[in-house]
Amino acid sequence: AIIKKSVSDKEIIDNLFERISCVALDDLFYNLCYRLINYVETYDRNLGSEYRTKLKIYMNYQLEHR
């Protein structure tokens, strides 16, 4: 819905990213994270890069604490 409606409000995007990135080891959520990151990069490359870094940190943490 965010992509279809072209939402670019940082607070809304941040909230969604935080909710889905914490379960990114599940394939569905992993794919949603990258779809969201790719979308964000279409209008803000720095923010997209920030999300990529956060996702890597979350995933490394989750893998270490399984």
Side-chain angles (χ1 to χ4, degrees), residues 44-61:
D44 188 335
R45 290 189 95 24
N46 291 329
L47 185 57
S49 179
E50 180 183 320
Y51 288 157
R52 283 185 190 279
T53 301
K54 283 183 180 181
L55 183 58
K56 286 179 186 177
I57 291 168
Y58 285 137
M59 292 182 70
N60 286 338
Y61 178 82

Side-chain angles (χ1 to χ4, degrees), residues 4-61:
K4 285 181 182 180
K5 294 180 181 181
S6 299
V7 173
S8 60
D9 182 303
K10 188 177 183 315
E11 286 186 38
I12 293 171
I13 301 288
D14 280 346
N15 185 290
L16 177 62
F17 182 79
E18 292 297 325
R19 289 190 342 227
I20 63 176
S21 63
C22 65
V23 289
L25 289 176
D26 177 286
D27 285 344
L28 172 66
F29 292 103
Y30 178 80
N31 290 332
L32 285 175
C33 279
Y34 275 103
R35 283 185 64 199
L36 182 61
I37 290 169
N38 290 335
Y39 166 69
V40 169
E41 288 179 333
T42 65
Y43 67 87
D44 188 335
R45 290 189 95 24
N46 291 329
L47 185 57
S49 179
E50 180 183 320
Y51 288 157
R52 283 185 190 279
T53 301
K54 283 183 180 181
L55 183 58
K56 286 179 186 177
I57 291 168
Y58 285 137
M59 292 182 70
N60 286 338
Y61 178 82

